[in-house]
Amino acid sequence: QVQLVESGGGLVQAGGSLRLSCTASRGTFSSYTMGWFRQAPGKEREFVSISWIDGSTSYADSVKGRFTISRDTAKNTLYLQMNSLKPEDTAVYYCAASSWVTMRLRDYNYWGQGTQVTVSS
């Protein structure tokens, strides 16, 4: 069973940058579809970015061109580099792993505890 621990959240001004990390333990990191999701207050959890097993990536339109997802298999760590942050990026960010090739939240078996990102205007 995979355990995920996120870090790197915090408070930043609009236009600033943050890098989130998600370290996985127990499980074969390279065999999972890994993703970042976020949930703002009063809203549903939404897809942000996916790192597919084949090395390709996907992004939500709202973050495309500003966020970059990457994974370091040797370190069992997933990253999300977030640049040009906007107040609407404020949310709790979650790392998740899936045994399937999927973007659907319900198909993600394992979730981290979340890390808060707050962008001030």
Side-chain angles (χ1 to χ4, degrees), residues 13-117:
Q13 289 188 333
S17 298
L18 284 174
R19 188 176 79 156
L20 305 183
S21 299
C22 170
T23 301
S25 61
R26 300 183 184 177
T28 307
F29 181 74
S30 60
S31 66
Y32 289 94
T33 301
M34 300 294 300
W36 288 100
F37 300 84
R38 66 186 182 186
Q39 187 166 17
K43 295 187 177 181
E44 294 186 351
R45 195 169 298 187
E46 64 178 7
F47 153 74
V48 175
S49 183
I50 302 290
S51 170
W52 304 102
I53 295 172
D54 67 358
S56 61
T57 58
S58 298
Y59 297 93
D61 288 342
S62 59
V63 306
K64 202 171 293 183
R66 300 188 297 121
F67 291 10
T68 302
I69 191 171
S70 61
R71 68 164 85 189
D72 186 333
T73 303
K75 295 182 178 180
N76 278 5
T77 301
L78 181 74
Y79 301 100
L80 186 67
Q81 177 66 44
M82 305 186 295
N83 299 328
S84 301
L85 282 161
K86 305 175 180 180
E88 51 264 43
D89 294 319
T90 295
V92 177
Y93 284 71
Y94 297 91
C95 168
S98 177
S99 305
W100 294 277
V101 179
T102 181
M103 293 175 64
R104 297 188 305 186
L105 272 71
R106 64 185 183 187
D107 292 333
Y108 279 76
N109 318 63
Y110 309 105
W111 291 83
Q113 81 287 354
T115 186
Q116 177 70 47
V117 171

